[in-house]
């Protein structure tokens, strides 16, 4: 079957396959959907969730799920094959960064693939809140935009400026090697309070100058 050969060539076993990404010259979307159903019936591929499939690691299906909903969301909305088009944001990123102990029930992601200003999607019963970025996210600017997003809502995560918050933000800036000049390219997209937060936290000393 042409579709199965295509999938074997382009996907590894246990790698998420998004129906919307499949494109075969000369084959209509309707035929692809029908072929997908046939392959599922033959147990050649496994349906993970609506529009999401994978090639099983062995010919015999075990019923085990090889990846999580968070992994699927990361590939679909944050990064795939080295290309970055999104990042964690809101309380999800604030928690990862150590700014808050609050663990959100819904993971928040800012992504070029948001499909609107703000919407919630479900992957295998897990909710993800998608936000549209202020500008297109690229490998070069993703960390900068992620930082500025966090600073925009800093008051929501931290009651008052403290050494731990400053330490975690400085560590992120240095790990990502964020340059002051690059921050200046995007900061005008954000409210003025971001400027104030940067100086109140004395983060301007942490930015790389060149």
């Amino acid at each position: 079957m042409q579709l199965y050969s295509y999938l074997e060539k382009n996907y590894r076993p246990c790698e998420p396959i998004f129906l919307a990404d499949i494109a075969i010259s000369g084959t209509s979307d309707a035929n692809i959907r029908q072929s997908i159903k046939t392959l599922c019936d033959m147990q050649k591929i496994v349906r993970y969730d609506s529009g999401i499939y994978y090639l099983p690691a062995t010919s015999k299906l075990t019923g085990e799920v090889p990846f999580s909903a968070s992994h699927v969301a990361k590939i679909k909305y944050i990064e795939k094959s080295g290309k970055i088009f999104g990042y964690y944001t809101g309380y999800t990123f604030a928690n990862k960064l150590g700014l808050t102990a609050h663990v959100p029930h819904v993971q928040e992601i800012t992504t070029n693939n948001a499909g609107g200003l703000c919407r919630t999607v479900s992957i295998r019963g897990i909710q993800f809140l998608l936000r549209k970025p202020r500008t297109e996210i690229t490998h070069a600017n993703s960390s900068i935009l992620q930082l500025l997003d966090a600073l925009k809502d800093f008051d929501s995560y931290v009651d008052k400026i403290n050494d731990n918050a400053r330490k975690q933000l400085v560590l992120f800036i240095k790990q990502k090697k964020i340059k002051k000049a690059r921050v200046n390219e995007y900061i005008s997209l954000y409210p003025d309070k971001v400027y104030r937060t940067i100086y109140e936290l004395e983060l301007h000393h942490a930015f790389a100058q060149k």
Side-chain angles (χ1 to χ4, degrees):
M1 182 179 289
Q2 182 183 16
L3 177 59
Y4 187 63
S5 297
Y6 169 91
L7 296 178
E8 285 193 310
K9 181 179 178 181
N10 290 280
Y11 296 92
R12 299 184 302 274
C14 299
E15 177 184 358
I17 300 169
F18 301 105
L19 179 59
D21 292 344
I22 300 175
I24 301 176
S25 179
T27 304
S28 67
D29 291 343
N31 285 339
I32 289 175
R33 287 193 296 271
Q34 182 58 48
S35 295
I36 284 286
K37 182 180 183 305
T38 300
L39 289 173
C40 284
D41 293 341
M42 295 170 62
Q43 297 190 335
K44 290 285 190 178
I45 63 173
V46 183
R47 182 182 183 275
Y48 178 83
D49 199 3
S50 178
I52 306 171
Y53 304 85
Y54 64 91
L55 295 164
T58 62
S59 58
K60 184 177 180 180
L61 304 182
T62 63
E64 297 180 359
V65 179
F67 43 76
S68 66
S70 294
H71 179 67
V72 174
K74 182 177 180 180
I75 292 174
K76 189 172 180 64
Y77 300 114
I78 296 178
E79 179 181 3
K80 183 179 181 181
S81 302
K83 182 179 180 181
I84 296 178
F85 38 83
Y87 51 79
Y88 293 108
T89 191
Y91 275 97
T92 301
F93 178 61
N95 177 264
K96 290 179 181 292
L97 199 59
L99 297 181
T100 178
H102 174 69
V103 180
H105 296 296
V106 178
Q107 293 189 46
E108 299 176 62
I109 298 173
T110 295
T111 173
N112 295 338
N113 300 333
L117 190 62
C118 182
R119 69 185 179 106
T120 300
V121 299
S122 176
I123 301 176
R124 209 175 175 87
I126 305 298
Q127 302 294 309
F128 297 86
L129 180 63
L130 307 180
R131 300 185 185 279
K132 182 179 179 180
R134 292 171 182 261
T135 188
E136 183 179 7
I137 298 169
T138 66
H139 188 283
N141 69 17
S142 60
S143 296
I144 299 167
L145 297 177
Q146 189 175 37
L147 173 68
L148 293 175
D149 278 0
L151 294 176
K152 175 179 67 68
D153 298 318
F154 181 79
D155 293 342
S156 300
Y157 315 131
V158 180
D159 291 334
K160 61 181 180 179
I161 291 176
N162 58 74
D163 289 338
N164 178 66
R166 181 183 295 108
K167 179 181 178 181
Q168 297 305 322
L169 288 166
V170 168
L171 182 61
F172 178 79
I173 290 169
K174 291 187 176 297
Q175 285 180 335
K176 300 299 183 179
K177 300 179 181 179
I178 297 177
K179 299 179 181 179
K180 182 178 180 181
R182 296 287 286 146
V183 171
N184 290 339
E185 291 181 30
Y186 298 99
I187 199 169
S188 62
L189 300 174
Y190 290 81
D192 290 343
K193 68 177 182 178
V194 173
Y195 287 95
R196 295 195 299 272
T197 302
I198 287 175
Y199 280 91
E200 287 173 358
L201 287 166
E202 299 180 357
L203 298 181
H204 50 286
H205 297 305
F207 294 123
Q209 298 301 311
K210 296 181 179 180

